[in-house]
Amino acid sequence: MSRMGIALGVEAAHLLHFPNFCRDNKYKSVITFIDDQADTEMNYFRGRYQHFFEIAPAIYKEVNQEGGLDIQILSPTKFEGTDANFLDIRFEFIKGRAESEVIQQQLNQWASPESNEILTIAVCLNYPPQSVAIGLYLPDNVFENNIPVFIRQETSSALLSMLSSRKDEEECQYHKYSHIYPFGMMDNCYDLDRSGMEKGMVIHYIYEFFNTYGVLPESCPGMERLKKSWNELSVAKRWSNLYSACSIDYKLRSIGWDGKSDILLTSEQIELLARVEHNRWNVEKLLLGFRKPTADEMEIIASSKVKKDEFKNERFVHPDICSYEELPKSSKDYDRCIVKGISLVVNYRKSVQ
């Protein structure tokens, strides 16, 4: 588990939140790390994100002598019952080498149409030539079913770009490697663009306006006003708004928005996406270092606003880390407000031109 692989997995956990889980909680987004030191790396990962695993189980798989996979379910370390396992993200760890027969069989199974998996593969080894070798020699099902495969490179993506862009001259179709994507090159790194930052600022403004007036703003102010408020935020709260902004496209696509028409959400869609937003927020807060309060701490938090603010701002203990069903109505209203304000976020640049 390279640092790039871990970083990519954590970013995926921030973003991969969908209505499927709201309809049936067995449909979670599963992030699987495959590594020949997965047992040790899993312990480091669970320690680093201990508050996530206080609530959520982890799945550990190891290749056995018969060539199969032994499965171990690691229960949440602190909470149980309705206080646990309400997150829509699950982490799995498989100890084995990607080129081994049993791991290849597992990848082949996941990539099969019969599995009903929506699969993406990322090869994040520290040695770029080895990443290429692993990425190009995946099971046939991966390529035949156009599974996206991201292969980490450090300097040049020329070889992979050439392979992925070639066409079959006879059939005029993309060939076997058309869904391979190089990433991680130092001369082509990702950065937040202006649009992404603006969306985060608008979400913060909506949240701040609702917190003050209890209603959704009808419009947003100019950039100078947004920047002034934004610059007063802590780094953690800025990232919170940015992650919320990054999730908008996923939310809209999940309800069938075509990207062109006006965004007109029904009451049912608003409630559904509010659930999705809270699920995203739960994971975000846990990965950023917040934790769910114990029953005794909840009593203290409920005793006064001063205590609530103390726990949230000084101890990083947030009472709203819970299932949507257990969330107070006042907190649900914030999630609904963010969803109702999506059109303001998406159309902000047009509105100020």
Side-chain angles (χ1 to χ4, degrees):
M1 290 170 58
S2 65
R3 287 188 295 175
M4 177 65 80
I6 292 172
L8 199 61
V10 170
E11 288 301 299
H14 277 290
L15 296 173
L16 301 182
H17 305 276
F18 306 102
N20 306 45
F21 178 78
C22 304
R23 301 186 182 104
D24 188 336
N25 61 15
K26 73 178 181 182
Y27 293 117
K28 298 188 177 187
S29 297
V30 180
I31 299 165
T32 303
F33 296 101
I34 301 173
D35 192 272
D36 59 359
Q37 299 295 322
D39 51 348
T40 301
E41 294 293 340
M42 176 184 68
N43 290 333
Y44 287 137
F45 190 87
R46 293 179 77 212
R48 179 176 181 181
Y49 299 106
Q50 58 181 298
H51 300 314
F52 181 96
F53 292 102
E54 288 176 349
I55 296 170
I59 308 296
Y60 175 71
K61 302 178 182 180
E62 185 172 354
V63 179
N64 56 36
Q65 294 180 346
E66 289 74 32
L69 287 172
D70 291 331
I71 302 175
Q72 181 182 2
I73 300 176
L74 305 174
S75 300
T77 59
K78 190 171 185 178
F79 295 93
E80 58 185 16
T82 57
D83 288 331
N85 205 17
F86 53 80
L87 302 176
D88 63 343
I89 296 287
R90 183 171 75 239
F91 286 103
E92 294 188 353
F93 305 83
I94 301 180
K95 183 176 182 179
R97 298 184 65 85
E99 67 272 20
S100 68
E101 183 178 357
V102 65
I103 300 300
Q104 291 284 303
Q105 290 175 348
Q106 178 69 86
L107 292 170
N108 192 60
Q109 178 183 334
W110 286 336
S112 171
E114 290 75 23
S115 71
N116 292 320
E117 304 277 356
I118 300 177
L119 179 66
T120 298
I121 297 172
V123 185
C124 303
L125 304 178
N126 288 322
Y127 186 49
Q130 189 179 9
S131 291
V132 172
I134 293 292
L136 296 184
Y137 295 103
L138 292 167
D140 288 340
N141 259 343
V142 171
F143 303 112
E144 291 171 1
N145 294 298
N146 295 328
I147 303 299
V149 178
F150 294 85
I151 301 178
R152 182 196 179 189
Q153 297 291 276
E154 289 184 350
T155 54
S156 174
S157 62
L159 174 61
L160 294 177
S161 297
M162 179 184 68
L163 287 173
S164 63
S165 63
R166 281 188 62 242
K167 289 186 177 181
D168 188 312
E169 295 179 358
E170 295 182 359
E171 299 182 5
C172 294
Q173 294 179 349
Y174 286 102
H175 71 111
K176 179 176 181 179
Y177 299 125
S178 62
H179 286 71
I180 282 182
Y181 307 96
F183 78 100
M185 294 75 67
M186 290 185 289
D187 64 342
N188 190 28
C189 61
Y190 170 79
D191 196 3
L192 289 169
D193 57 17
R194 178 183 174 187
S195 175
M197 291 291 289
E198 284 178 355
K199 289 178 180 177
M201 292 180 188
V202 174
I203 285 180
H204 170 60
Y205 175 78
I206 292 171
Y207 185 92
E208 188 179 50
F209 190 95
F210 185 82
N211 188 48
T212 303
Y213 301 104
V215 294
L216 180 73
E218 295 182 0
S219 61
C220 292
M223 183 52 57
E224 289 304 315
R225 167 77 182 280
L226 292 183
K227 284 183 178 179
K228 182 178 184 301
S229 178
W230 182 259
N231 291 334
E232 295 172 355
L233 286 178
S234 66
V235 172
K237 289 185 177 180
R238 290 184 194 180
W239 275 110
S240 178
N241 288 294
L242 290 170
Y243 280 125
S244 182
C246 288
S247 73
I248 287 176
D249 288 343
Y250 294 90
K251 291 187 178 82
L252 293 176
R253 190 169 62 184
S254 71
I255 60 170
W257 184 58
D258 60 10
K260 299 176 182 178
S261 57
D262 292 338
I263 302 172
L264 301 173
L265 301 177
T266 66
S267 57
E268 291 80 10
Q269 289 173 331
I270 290 170
E271 189 64 18
L272 178 62
L273 295 185
R275 285 176 173 270
V276 174
E277 172 60 18
H278 182 66
N279 291 334
R280 183 207 64 78
W281 180 90
N282 272 334
V283 173
E284 171 215 299
K285 282 290 178 277
L286 292 165
L287 293 178
L288 290 178
F290 284 81
R291 67 175 175 84
K292 177 180 173 64
T294 64
D296 291 341
E297 288 173 330
M298 278 297 293
E299 290 185 6
I300 299 172
I301 290 170
S303 66
S304 71
K305 185 179 184 303
V306 172
K307 285 296 181 183
K308 182 179 181 179
D309 291 343
E310 176 191 327
F311 272 81
K312 284 197 321 185
N313 300 326
E314 298 179 20
R315 305 190 188 188
F316 275 46
V317 179
H318 207 300
D320 287 346
I321 298 177
C322 61
S323 67
Y324 190 78
E325 287 73 19
E326 296 181 353
L327 197 64
K329 180 184 179 301
S330 58
S331 297
K332 288 180 180 179
D333 287 341
Y334 279 104
D335 292 323
R336 293 165 183 151
C337 177
I338 293 300
V339 172
K340 291 176 183 177
I342 283 178
S343 60
L344 286 175
V345 179
V346 173
N347 298 315
Y348 174 73
R349 185 167 291 188
K350 295 178 183 178
S351 69
V352 296
Q353 286 179 345

